[in-house]
């Protein structure tokens, strides 16, 4: 249920004024310890410049390296790491379209294909999905983590449940609350989110045991680097999963994987395959998910083909 809820919410939130992505790492001191369900990226002034560079994620190490579109820089000077890892970073950045190689006096060098805009991200919103508040799991701890760290501009809880005062009292005050119906795409704002302070230092909760809480202090520079990495990952990844390689698989009009046998949206990695009694190996449906994403969001599929698009009317979360 939660997976189908998440995909329906992503589809409902997607618009040509923003980028929507799923399942992104959102911890700084202990990477991998926190994953947010949905991330909304609102474009900033430099968004068109970023979109014109590449449709894929640009490797963070390449963005952070002292390499620009001017004079080429020796790879060994650009990346303070072992040669094998440096070569991998360069390969990925070249494939993405951000770096280009050249040799100078027998030395491998790189230069950026364009200036990387620092202002391409307007805001980042984290959405935690919990369709059934009667089964909250680690919800409170996850939301406390997000609020204390302040990595996102806003944090929102999305649920299908009726939200009571008791529910609100257990949710950190800055967290906004949406009630969302995945069948109709109707979304009610039960409580507006309070803006956080992503440019300030934050506190990352590492462990909570009874009266003891272990934390790590995260400075503003580290948060800024992580926000850029989240934005890059969100831009390159999106939210649509590939449909299963099954003869009964289909794709909905908005790009969600659907099973014709069970007549519903399915989780390709969790429900499909040899363990499903209706599974029949096949190439799967012919789905052009990139074209769908290009048409329905601010993401640009082929920046070399038509150049950057102008973003207008950047509303907050309007339908």
């Amino acid at each position: 249920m939660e997976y189908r809820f998440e995909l329906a919410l992503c589809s409902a939130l997607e618009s040509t004024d923003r980028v929507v992505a799923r399942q992104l790492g959102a911890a700084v001191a202990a990477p991998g310890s926190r994953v947010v369900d949905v991330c909304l990226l609102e474009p900033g002034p430099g968004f068109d410049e970023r979109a014109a560079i590449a449709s894929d994620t640009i490797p963070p190490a390449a963005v952070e390296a002292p390499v620009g579109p001017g004079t080429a820089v020796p790879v060994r000077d650009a990346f303070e790491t072992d040669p094998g890892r440096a070569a991998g970073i360069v390969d990925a950045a070249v494939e993405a379209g951000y770096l280009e190689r050249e040799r100078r006096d027998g030395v491998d060098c790189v230069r950026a294909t364009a200036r990387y805009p620092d202002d391409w991200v307007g805001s980042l919103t984290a959405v935690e999905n919990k369709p059934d508040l009667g089964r909250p799991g680690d919800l409170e701890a996850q939301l406390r983590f997000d609020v204390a760290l302040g990595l996102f501009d806003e944090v929102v809880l999305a649920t299908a449940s009726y939200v009571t005062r008791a529910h609100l009292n257990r949710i950190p005050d800055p967290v906004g609350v949406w009630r969302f119906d995945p069948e109709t795409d109707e979304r009610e704002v039960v409580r507006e989110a309070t803006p956080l302070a992503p440019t300030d230092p934050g506190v990352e909760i590492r462990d909570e045991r009874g009266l003891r809480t272990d934390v790590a202090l995260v400075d503003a520079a580290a948060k800024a680097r992580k926000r850029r990495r989240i934005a890059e990952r969100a831009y390159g990844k999106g939210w649509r999963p590939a449909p299963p390689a099954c003869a009964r698989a289909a794709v909905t009009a908005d790009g969600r994987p659907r099973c014709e046998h069970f007549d519903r949206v399915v989780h390709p990695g969790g429900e499909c395959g040899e363990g499903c009694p209706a599974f029949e190996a096949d190439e799967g449906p012919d789905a052009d998910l990139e074209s769908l994403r290009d048409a329905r969001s601010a993401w640009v599929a082929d920046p070399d083909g038509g150049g950057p698009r102008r973003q207008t009317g950047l509303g907050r979360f309007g339908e």
Side-chain angles (χ1 to χ4, degrees):
M1 174 183 176
E2 188 161 334
Y3 183 83
R4 296 194 293 276
F5 179 92
E6 186 169 294
L7 294 193
L9 180 62
C10 286
S11 177
L13 292 173
E14 188 172 54
S15 79
T16 55
D17 291 339
R18 70 173 67 98
V19 171
V20 182
R22 303 173 46 246
Q23 299 296 306
L24 302 180
V28 180
S33 63
R34 174 72 177 114
V35 175
V36 297
D37 292 331
V38 175
C39 175
L40 305 182
L41 187 163
E42 297 279 354
F47 182 85
D48 287 347
E49 296 175 51
R50 166 60 188 86
I53 297 173
S55 60
D56 293 330
T57 296
I58 299 174
V63 174
E64 295 161 8
V67 180
T71 304
V73 177
V75 172
R76 62 171 178 264
D77 296 337
F79 302 99
E80 296 182 358
T81 184
D82 65 85
R85 183 168 186 274
I89 295 169
V90 171
D91 286 345
V94 169
E95 184 176 355
Y98 178 63
L99 292 183
E100 56 186 8
R101 294 185 179 93
E102 63 180 77
R103 285 184 69 82
R104 288 195 167 195
D105 300 324
V107 177
D108 290 330
C109 299
V110 290
R111 75 168 75 233
T113 58
R115 182 190 70 85
Y116 187 88
D118 293 327
D119 59 349
W120 74 277
V121 179
S123 68
L124 295 174
T125 297
V127 182
E128 184 67 21
N129 298 322
K130 191 59 63 175
D132 183 1
L133 291 181
R135 303 173 62 184
D138 295 329
L139 177 63
E140 292 180 49
Q142 292 167 336
L143 295 176
R144 283 197 303 271
F145 180 103
D146 296 336
V147 170
L149 182 55
L151 189 61
F152 294 86
D153 295 88
E154 293 180 349
V155 175
V156 174
L157 165 67
T159 182
S161 297
Y162 177 75
V163 182
T164 67
R165 177 57 56 184
H167 289 138
L168 293 176
N169 289 339
R170 290 195 293 269
I171 298 167
D173 290 340
V175 177
V177 179
W178 296 340
R179 191 180 184 200
F180 176 70
D181 185 338
E183 300 300 324
T184 64
D185 288 350
E186 292 183 3
R187 178 165 52 88
E188 174 193 1
V189 178
V190 178
R191 184 171 77 187
E192 294 283 359
T194 301
L196 301 177
T199 59
D200 292 346
V203 175
E204 184 168 311
I205 299 173
R206 301 291 300 276
D207 191 25
E208 293 181 288
R209 300 189 303 275
L211 298 178
R212 175 175 174 174
T213 300
D214 295 333
V215 303
L217 300 181
V218 180
D219 63 30
K223 286 175 61 174
R225 287 193 298 272
K226 185 64 178 183
R227 280 172 59 85
R228 184 172 57 235
R229 292 183 175 215
I230 290 172
E232 275 295 339
R233 182 62 173 147
Y235 191 82
K237 181 180 182 182
W239 64 267
R240 290 176 176 84
C246 175
R248 293 178 170 83
V251 175
T252 62
D254 56 5
R256 287 177 284 173
R258 180 179 174 276
C259 177
E260 294 182 335
H261 178 80
F262 293 108
D263 193 24
R264 61 174 174 80
V265 171
V266 292
H267 187 334
E271 298 178 278
C272 305
E274 297 294 342
C276 173
F279 178 73
E280 183 179 335
D282 188 73
E283 293 183 358
D286 183 15
D288 189 352
L289 301 183
E290 286 195 352
S291 292
L292 269 175
R293 190 182 183 209
D294 181 80
R296 290 170 52 96
S297 78
W299 179 77
V300 180
D302 185 9
D304 293 330
R309 296 184 303 185
R310 295 301 306 163
Q311 301 302 318
T312 59
L314 302 180
R316 284 299 295 151
F317 303 115
E319 301 300 326

